[in-house]
Amino acid sequence: MFKHLALITALVSFLNIIPLPGATPALAAAQPAGTNLIANPNVNTPVASSRPIVPVDWQNGSWGTNNAVFSYTVPTRYVPQQRSLLTTITNYTDGDAKWYFKPVAIDGGSYYTYADSYKSSVVTHIVAQIEDANGNISYSYLGQAPSTLNWKPISFTFPTPATAKNLTVFHLLASQGALYTDDFSLVKREAIQITDGVPNASVEQSALDGTNAPGEWYPGGWGSNTRTLTWANEGHTGTHSVKAEVSNYTDGDAKWFYTPQAITPNQTYTISDWYKSNVDTHVNAVIERTGGQMQYLTLKDAPTAAGWTQYSDSFTAPFDAKSLTIFHVINANGFVQTDDYSVKPRQVVGFNQGLVSISLDDGWASQYNLAFPLLQQNGMKATYYVTTGLLGQAGYFSQADITTLAQAGEQIADHTITHPHLTQITASEVEHEIHDSQITLQGLSHQTVNDIASPYGETNIPVLNQIKQYYGSHRGIETGYNSKDNFDVYDLRVQSVVSTTTLAEIQSWIDTAMRDKTWLILVYHQVDNSGSEFATTPAAFTQQLQAIQAKGIKTATVGEALAEIKAQ
């Protein structure tokens, strides 16, 4: 359970995770499930030869300055059973008094749930007495039970030390008063099961520490919104799921995630869950890499689903991946409910050969002044996704630059007019953004502009339907490789190159594309020394182009790659 404690701690700090309640006594009617380790748990069987009469496998004891009396009695009870245990103290100065069961063998380093039913005139206390293999005794205070005139069940879940061998529990009286106890239980908690790479994949098992939460799952979120994260009493299968609800949304998100699990570097995985939601939601593969840095891989979105719907997508783990968890996030007013998670290795079905396409977004002047000459020097062509509303502005392409690039054999593609959030504007505004920009670019380039990249990678079904009227492909920002078994011409996958991308990463992406015969699309923005998060220095860009050459993988513009792939 504690293997990835450091990563969980980092996620807690970074994501402003909502803390779950601390371990508290559970006043619940049902006894814990599993094998009860306590002999004679209802204390109904007496020792026949004992005087005074005592229950089999039970004994009592006290210490300190007080007058303790122990009775094996027949009081008025909440169920018609024969006997219960009564402890009374008068003339109390210090110490305690208690009945306790014969110590039972336990497994060290495990969790157990102790429960009984009781009524008392004062607050009482529950303490576990633990013995190790050498006979050393230690005590663990589990908590207190409030006074009650009526019979109440109470339970505590607790861990045992790794060296523990035997255990008993004292429900003790440490003041003047009376305490009745009955219906005892000690149950070892079942270890959290890992199914298809996910702990507690169907979120049915409760947390081992006794909190009312799914075991190995954690609520999280950030930003300005009101988040409610619950362990819901319904599911796609079983009786539970996890639910994230958001109101008063300004920014940020809410989500549940599980304890990160080890994954294999460069392995391709299929992840899935079942979900329902009243808004579109988003999915990320969150990966811890060597050195402890976190990487968030953007996967495809999950559209609104009124009933339980299966989500599925794939990704390839980075070359230095250590562990993985999944965020199925909501970042709007509404809810998302998820269940039945799975992470499985996937065999990729490739094309005839691996391909690399270099794409550059927005139309930065540095792409024309620095990247374009470097591409020519290395015998490569690229696809430029141009935001037409920026043409002629300082730091961006001129109209003449578009013409020159096209005449040199570079591909010109569309990136709208004003770089808006297409999912947040009207249909007529989308039409203007994607069609009028296409007309402008075709006039300047004298090319057929058939490919578009949506700003921020954002689309939904209505937006895609409009895009399909004018374009043969759409490229977003979802992380991955394009292969024969996941190919979607209107959802092309990419690897985004930013200021922190290393040459080793680029080389690993190329190696993966060559190994699996997939199509790798690299996305760049600025190519300059500005220091921007999205800037690649000319020196780094040169090294990356040389790495592509050295690997011997075929390069093609997006349009050329699509033509080759569609022929297969």
Side-chain angles (χ1 to χ4, degrees):
M1 175 178 178
F2 305 106
K3 183 175 182 180
H4 296 287
L5 181 59
L7 177 54
I8 293 169
T9 301
L11 289 169
V12 167
S13 176
F14 182 77
L15 298 167
N16 186 25
I17 291 169
I18 298 171
L20 292 170
T24 56
L27 293 171
Q31 292 289 327
T35 302
N36 189 354
L37 301 179
I38 300 174
N40 194 15
N42 294 320
V43 298
N44 289 335
T45 305
V47 178
S49 62
S50 174
R51 292 295 183 273
I53 296 175
V54 295
V56 171
D57 291 316
W58 284 82
Q59 53 193 316
N60 53 59
S62 64
W63 69 276
T65 304
N66 59 73
N67 183 20
V69 178
F70 301 98
S71 305
Y72 183 35
T73 185
V74 187
T76 302
R77 289 176 303 280
Y78 72 113
V79 292
Q81 294 173 327
Q82 294 181 353
R83 293 182 181 272
S84 62
L85 305 175
L86 171 61
T87 305
T88 58
I89 289 181
T90 58
N91 302 318
Y92 180 85
T93 301
D94 58 22
D96 65 45
K98 62 271 184 181
W99 284 93
Y100 56 98
F101 57 88
K102 178 182 177 181
V104 297
I106 59 167
D107 295 324
S110 300
Y111 275 85
Y112 287 81
T113 295
Y114 167 81
D116 68 34
S117 295
Y118 79 101
K119 67 176 182 176
S120 63
S121 61
V122 293
V123 173
T124 55
H125 305 272
I126 295 88
V127 177
Q129 177 183 279
I130 301 165
E131 181 182 10
D132 67 17
N134 297 320
N136 299 311
I137 301 294
S138 62
Y139 298 91
S140 177
Y141 183 75
L142 303 185
Q144 66 180 27
S147 62
T148 174
L149 297 177
N150 301 309
W151 283 92
K152 296 282 188 182
I154 193 167
S155 68
F156 294 87
T157 299
F158 59 96
T160 58
T163 57
K165 295 296 180 184
N166 299 297
L167 179 144
T168 188
V169 177
F170 304 151
H171 189 157
L172 60 85
L173 184 62
S175 63
Q176 184 169 305
L179 167 65
Y180 289 96
T181 51
D182 202 350
D183 295 327
F184 298 87
S185 173
L186 181 69
V187 174
K188 182 181 178 181
R189 295 298 306 273
E190 181 183 5
I192 299 297
Q193 302 299 307
I194 297 176
T195 306
D196 292 336
V198 180
N200 198 9
S202 191
V203 296
E204 293 298 307
Q205 292 180 271
S206 61
L208 292 180
D209 63 3
T211 53
N212 183 30
E216 303 292 346
W217 282 80
Y218 308 90
W222 67 277
S224 180
N225 59 77
T226 301
R227 298 180 289 276
T228 303
L229 293 115
T230 54
W231 188 25
N233 291 320
E234 64 160 327
H236 170 251
T237 61
T239 59
H240 286 93
S241 58
V242 286
K243 186 174 185 179
E245 298 175 86
V246 169
S247 59
N248 303 314
Y249 182 83
T250 300
D251 57 22
D253 67 33
K255 66 268 189 177
W256 285 86
F257 66 95
Y258 59 84
T259 302
Q261 302 296 300
I263 56 173
T264 302
N266 294 317
Q267 172 67 52
T268 299
Y269 291 89
T270 294
I271 77 106
S272 69
D273 67 19
W274 286 82
Y275 77 99
K276 57 182 178 178
S277 65
N278 61 357
V279 293
D280 293 350
T281 53
H282 311 283
V283 181
N284 299 108
V286 183
I287 295 173
E288 181 190 19
R289 304 176 64 175
T290 301
Q293 67 269 36
M294 306 300 298
Q295 181 173 358
Y296 299 82
L297 303 184
T298 302
L299 305 182
K300 70 180 182 182
D301 291 343
T304 302
W308 287 107
T309 301
Q310 188 171 31
Y311 171 91
S312 181
D313 200 4
S314 63
F315 68 93
T316 301
F319 73 101
D320 57 353
K322 292 178 60 179
S323 63
L324 164 80
T325 189
I326 299 296
F327 290 171
H328 192 145
V329 309
I330 179 170
N331 61 351
N333 289 327
F335 80 89
V336 62
Q337 199 164 341
T338 57
D339 197 1
D340 294 329
Y341 281 70
S342 172
V343 178
K344 296 180 180 179
R346 180 173 73 87
Q347 183 63 46
V348 176
V349 180
F351 300 113
N352 294 342
Q353 64 177 334
L355 294 168
V356 173
S357 293
I358 297 167
S359 66
L360 301 104
D361 282 9
D362 301 332
W364 293 90
S366 63
Q367 296 171 4
Y368 180 83
N369 296 327
L370 297 173
F372 173 44
L374 291 172
L375 285 160
Q376 287 186 310
Q377 290 172 24
N378 287 276
M380 299 179 189
K381 293 184 291 183
T383 300
Y384 298 79
Y385 290 89
V386 180
T387 304
T388 60
L390 298 175
L391 291 175
Q393 294 188 24
Y396 294 94
F397 285 171
S398 68
Q399 292 187 358
D401 293 340
I402 300 292
T403 304
T404 302
L405 289 169
Q407 289 174 344
E410 306 292 302
Q411 182 187 2
I412 303 302
D414 191 26
H415 201 39
T416 73
I417 298 173
T418 65
H419 205 280
H421 297 273
L422 292 176
T423 58
Q424 299 176 22
I425 60 178
T426 67
S428 61
E429 289 170 331
V430 171
E431 173 83 10
H432 170 63
E433 288 284 347
I434 68 173
H435 189 208
D436 291 359
S437 54
Q438 181 187 44
I439 293 171
T440 297
L441 291 172
Q442 289 182 155
L444 294 171
S445 66
H446 307 291
Q447 294 179 354
T448 298
V449 175
N450 197 43
D451 306 293
I452 188 172
S454 58
Y456 316 104
E458 293 177 352
T459 59
N460 55 25
I461 292 173
V463 168
L464 277 176
N465 286 337
Q466 288 183 267
I467 285 173
K468 290 175 183 179
Q469 295 179 38
Y470 301 106
Y471 296 94
S473 81
H474 164 263
R475 197 219 75 205
I477 59 170
E478 292 168 14
T479 307
Y481 304 82
N482 302 284
S483 60
K484 202 174 257 189
D485 54 326
N486 80 344
F487 181 67
D488 184 345
V489 72
Y490 289 104
D491 189 19
L492 299 178
R493 307 300 181 93
V494 305
Q495 296 286 356
S496 295
V497 184
V498 295
S499 61
T500 55
T501 302
T502 65
L503 181 60
E505 284 180 278
I506 298 286
Q507 291 170 326
S508 73
W509 294 341
I510 299 167
D511 289 340
T512 298
M514 294 178 70
R515 180 196 68 192
D516 296 336
K517 297 183 178 179
T518 54
W519 176 23
L520 166 64
I521 302 176
L522 299 175
V523 177
Y524 291 87
H525 288 80
Q526 296 140 277
V527 180
D528 57 32
N529 293 302
S530 67
S532 165
E533 176 186 356
F534 297 102
T536 301
T537 66
F541 189 66
T542 299
Q543 287 183 320
Q544 292 161 9
L545 296 181
Q546 291 172 347
I548 293 171
Q549 276 193 327
K551 294 290 185 180
I553 191 170
K554 181 178 179 179
T555 61
T557 66
V558 169
E560 291 169 343
L562 283 169
E564 178 174 331
I565 287 169
K566 288 178 179 180
Q568 300 174 33

